């Protein structure tokens, strides 16, 4: 398995023209070393490189592809939509259809605005919160990642954790002076921050389940407290559900947990694999956006018909798939517990963190993760190339995929 000679040549070529051979830093595999994967095609739970190697994929475009790669209903509908024109820059009925589907799944999203990425969704939701409240400060939590907007690149997870950049050069000090970073789950620090600055805080921004510093399971008590304290000070609660939206059920994590935010940010899954972001909430706040209100936000490609169709076709499948959500959760649980058991029997200090169908691994020694990771790639298993990124199970994964992965991992761990 896994000669990657063509892959190496292609990556050298990529490095000539793309910065580091990639268009997003974690893709470069800096954390684990070695050439990154250049993927040629994907079907179901598998991706294939140019050397003809097959990999069971647990990255799934960073959690976007809950149905797996090239799901036929989605691909066919996207083809048909493309044949009718790629972009209009006017309202098209697919936008309305996707908005309706999301409203049905997440009723507090009375109105929605589609954008092109999760980053844009969060940036725009924060602008709206500031415009609505007339306040400047925002609260975010340590190690949470909300996209790459300047003022949110403070103690971010994801690539920032992997590369150890506490805060990116190019972000002026003045841009982050209104960003308050607090430890997640710390009630006392939160109270103190609000006592000091409560009337200047526009919003608290939270990832209800952390997905960018390894999987951080939710603290529902803390989320409820966030709701209470933001209400007390008339600040908004913004849930960044770019990963968690439609990941655990047909809808949002917050809606299911009974803590309703004022605004929600979505992305990843709702685009069915095409670039998307969205933010939404109650009409009263959302109507402050232009053209009805004064808060400006615009984009050439927002609501693109082909993207909307990928989202519609994906959500329609998810709407009918209640039981499949339980299945992917069970698969992730099987994998996680088998990995932990195998590690224990080899005396390797390894923790698996899991919530629903998301999981991440943390080795006591980073070198062990690197060895483990190279073993995985050689055996045909593609995990996230960093301990800070999440892995995902999709509806396309079979019991055989899971069993095969477990057996391969047992062998790899025994060799470490
Ligand atoms: C991926 C992600 C984003 C950013 O989305 P992009 O589409 O990559 O811009 C924001 N927040 C969270 C929680 C994410 O996981």
């Amino acid at each position: 398995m896994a000669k990657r000679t063509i892959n190496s040549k292609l990556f050298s070529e990529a490095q000539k023209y793309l910065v580091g051979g990639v268009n997003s830093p974690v893709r470069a595999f800096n954390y684990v070393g070695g050439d990154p994967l250049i993927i040629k095609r994907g079907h179901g739970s598998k991706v294939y490189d140019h050397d003809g190697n097959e990999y069971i994929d647990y990255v799934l475009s960073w959690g976007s592809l809950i149905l797996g790669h090239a799901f036929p209903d989605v691909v066919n509908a996207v083809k048909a939509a493309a044949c009718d024109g790629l972009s209009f820059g006017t309202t098209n009925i697919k936008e309305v259809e996707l908005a309706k589907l999301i409203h049905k799944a997440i009723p507090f999203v009375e109105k929605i605005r589609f954008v092109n990425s999760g980053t844009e969704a969060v940036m725009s939701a924060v602008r709206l919160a500031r415009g609505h409240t007339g306040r400047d400060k925002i609260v975010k939590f340590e190690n949470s990642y909300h996209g790459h907007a300047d003022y949110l690149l403070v103690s971010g997870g994801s690539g920032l954790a992997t590369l150890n950049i506490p805060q990116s050069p190019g972000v002026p000090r003045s841009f982050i002076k209104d960003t308050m970073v607090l430890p997640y789950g710390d009630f006392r620090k939160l109270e103190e921050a609000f006592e000091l600055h409560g009337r200047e805080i526009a919003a608290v921004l939270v990832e209800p389940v952390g997905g960018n510093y390894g999987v951080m399971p939710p603290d529902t008590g803390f989320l409820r407290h966030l709701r209470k304290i933001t209400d007390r000070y008339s600040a908004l609660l913004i849930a960044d559900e770019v990963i968690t939206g439609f990941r655990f059920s047909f809808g949002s994590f917050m809606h299911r947990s009974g803590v309703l935010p004022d605004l929600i940010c979505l992305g990843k899954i709702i685009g069915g694999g095409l670039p998307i972001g969205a933010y939404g909430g109650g009409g009263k706040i959302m109507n402050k956006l232009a053209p009805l209100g004064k808060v400006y936000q615009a984009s050439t490609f927002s609501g693109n018909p082909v993207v909307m169709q990928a989202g519609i076709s994906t959500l329609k499948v998810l709407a009918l798939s209640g039981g499949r959500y339980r299945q992917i959760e069970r698969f992730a649980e099987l994998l996680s517990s088998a990995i932990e058991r195998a590690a224990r029997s080899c005396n390797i200090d390894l923790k698996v963190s899991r919530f629903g169908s998301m999981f991440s691994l943390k080795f006591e020694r980073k070198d062990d993760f690197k060895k483990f990771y190279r073993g995985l790639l050689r055996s045909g298993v593609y995990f996230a190339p960093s301990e800070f990124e999440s892995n995902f199970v999709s509806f396309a994964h079979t019991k055989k995929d899971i069993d095969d992965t477990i057996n391969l991992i047992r062998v790899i761990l025994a060799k470490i």
Side-chain angles (χ1 to χ4, degrees), residues 13 33 41 48 55 90 96 104 129 142 167 182 195 198 254 258 287 311 320 328 332 335 372 382 389 391:
E13 178 83 351
R41 60 189 179 89
Y48 302 83
Y55 304 85
T90 67
V96 183
K104 201 170 140 206
E142 279 168 9
Q167 169 198 320
L182 299 177
E195 272 163 30
M254 294 295 263
N287 287 346
L320 304 172
I328 58 173
L335 253 178
F372 172 75
Y382 175 36
E389 302 288 342
N391 297 286

Side-chain angles (χ1 to χ4, degrees), residues 125 128-130 132-133 135 194 201-205 226-227 230-231 233-238 261-263 285:
L128 178 58
R130 286 171 161 162
H132 174 75
T133 56
R135 302 170 179 181
F194 269 88
I201 295 173
V204 173
L205 181 57
L226 289 182
R227 180 65 285 176
T230 44
D231 278 344
Y233 286 89
S234 306
L236 302 190
L237 181 59
I238 305 176
D262 299 289
L263 292 172
I285 297 174

Side-chain angles (χ1 to χ4, degrees), residues 117-120 122 145-148 207 212 240 242-243 268 276:
S117 68
T119 296
E120 265 184 82
V122 177
Y145 180 71
H146 300 289
H148 66 87
E207 268 184 281
N212 292 287
D240 180 350
V242 171
I243 285 187
K268 297 193 168 105
I276 200 169

Side-chain angles (χ1 to χ4, degrees), residues 277-289:
Y279 59 110
K284 198 168 149 240
I285 297 174
M286 289 302 290
N287 287 346
K288 297 246 170 114
L289 276 180

Side-chain angles (χ1 to χ4, degrees), residues 253-273:
F253 174 81
M254 294 295 263
H255 179 64
R256 206 172 54 147
S257 70
V259 184
L260 299 191
D262 299 289
L263 292 172
I264 186 175
C265 303
L266 297 166
K268 297 193 168 105
I269 289 176
I270 63 160

Side-chain angles (χ1 to χ4, degrees), residues 33 35 51 59 146-147 157 159 185 189 265 287 291 313 345 355:
D35 287 345
D51 291 285
V59 184
H146 300 289
K189 288 237 166 73
C265 303
N287 287 346
S313 300
S345 73
F355 187 78

